[in-house]
Each structure stands twice: as C-alpha cells, then as structure tokens.
Amino acid sequence: MRIAAGFGDEQAQIRVYVAKRPPMQEYAYLPAMQPLLQGEIALINQACGNGWRKLFNVYAKLLFALPASFGFLQKASCWQVYRDSFLLQASSNTALLFSPPPLNSASSTIHIIAGRTYAKALVEQGLPLQLNWLNAEFAIDNHNRVLVCPYFDYRQLNNEKIGYLVKLIAQL
C-alpha cells in the first residue's frame, strides 16, 4: 500500500489531491501525512502567495457547504474560522495530498482530485479509475469514491460549482 504524503489528518474522510506542494523547503519532501499547526496555513499563504490562499479558502468553503452531518459546521462559526483553527490539522478529518489516491472501495473516504488535467495525468500514470465524466469539469468514480472537480481557485471552483460538488459528495 502506498503511503499518503501531504497535510492533515491521517484518518481524514475528505481528502483533496493536488499536483504540486507549496514551494517551501520545509515541505520539499514529505514522506507521510503531516498535520499542520495553527497558524501554518497563514505562513504558507504569506510565503507562497495568492494561489495557496485561494486553495485553502476554497477547501474551507467547500467543507462549510457540506451538510451538518459531516461535522464541519459544528466546529466553527464560519469557514474563515474553520480554515484558521482546524483545516488540515490533527483530528480535522481533512487532508491535502500531493500523492495519488490510495484506492480502496471498502473505505468511506471521499477522494477529490482538484483539476481535470491532474486527474487525467494520474490515469495515464496507471491509477485505475473508472471516471464517468458528468460534464467538461466534473467526473465521478462511484466504486472508488473519487470525484474530479476544477482546481481549488475562486474562478475555477466558484460558489455555484462548490454547490454542485457538494451534491456529488452527498451521492457517494
């Protein structure tokens, strides 16, 4: 079994996969999952710029758009507080990974691949996904509980598309 490399909770139910890690020396090599500490997202944003800020913001907005049964709404008063106080920390039930999803159809984990280009590259590299493309931007593999959506950026994954992604997550 492949070791997951990224930020967050090793037991996360909601896992987002991106092609690149923050260009910071301390993250150049992550051999496993590393929970972020409070304030670390702000440090990444400061060091790496607007693209990472958008990614973390969209991730927090997505979590706050999910039904209350997922448990994210109860932890904070708004998505901004959730992002700063819980996102990608130990026991947050969230993860951001820089390695391919470990597929296990028996798992309740929801895998979200951010970006159609990255998803297609993973398939070309041998990830055995059975993607059903719902439109030009979203795909689903129900068996492996994998979703493909636009990259976590305001222009690509706007509020309307976040709402669509929430409906797809609820279907899994």
Side-chain angles (χ1 to χ4, degrees):
M1 183 173 163
R2 190 180 304 134
I3 304 260
F7 300 142
D9 179 355
E10 280 189 16
Q11 305 302 316
Q13 179 187 15
I14 306 288
R15 296 172 181 240
V16 174
Y17 299 82
V18 296
K20 296 180 181 167
R21 61 186 74 216
M24 295 172 67
Q25 183 158 352
E26 53 265 56
Y27 307 125
Y29 176 72
L30 288 174
M33 191 76 75
Q34 173 180 310
L36 294 181
L37 302 173
Q38 195 158 350
E40 205 165 351
I41 284 178
L43 292 174
I44 294 169
N45 291 344
Q46 186 175 13
C48 300
N50 202 34
W52 282 93
R53 183 181 61 78
K54 290 177 185 178
L55 185 149
F56 294 129
N57 286 353
V58 169
Y59 197 165
K61 287 176 83 171
L62 169 64
L63 297 172
F64 248 66
L66 291 170
S69 60
F70 280 86
F72 298 107
L73 296 174
Q74 294 88 333
K75 292 189 176 194
S77 59
C78 62
W79 66 264
Q80 294 92 335
V81 171
Y82 184 85
R83 176 201 59 213
D84 296 339
S85 301
F86 299 101
L87 185 64
L88 304 174
Q89 295 182 26
S91 302
S92 67
N93 203 19
T94 60
L96 178 68
L97 295 119
F98 315 116
S99 55
L103 302 180
N104 176 357
S105 60
S107 170
S108 64
T109 302
I110 297 170
H111 305 281
I112 302 169
I113 300 172
R116 177 182 61 210
T117 303
Y118 183 45
K120 288 182 177 181
L122 290 173
V123 170
E124 288 173 8
Q125 293 167 15
L127 189 66
L129 293 176
Q130 298 299 314
L131 293 174
N132 174 24
W133 286 92
L134 306 171
N135 57 39
E137 299 175 303
F138 290 88
I140 189 168
D141 176 338
N142 283 304
H143 180 72
N144 291 302
R145 300 174 58 84
V146 175
L147 295 166
V148 176
C149 70
Y151 190 75
F152 279 33
D153 176 285
Y154 302 137
R155 291 179 302 259
Q156 295 180 52
L157 192 61
N158 60 27
N159 289 341
E160 180 182 334
K161 292 176 184 176
I162 287 173
Y164 184 67
L165 182 56
V166 165
K167 289 178 185 173
L168 294 176
I169 290 170
Q171 288 178 14
L172 290 177

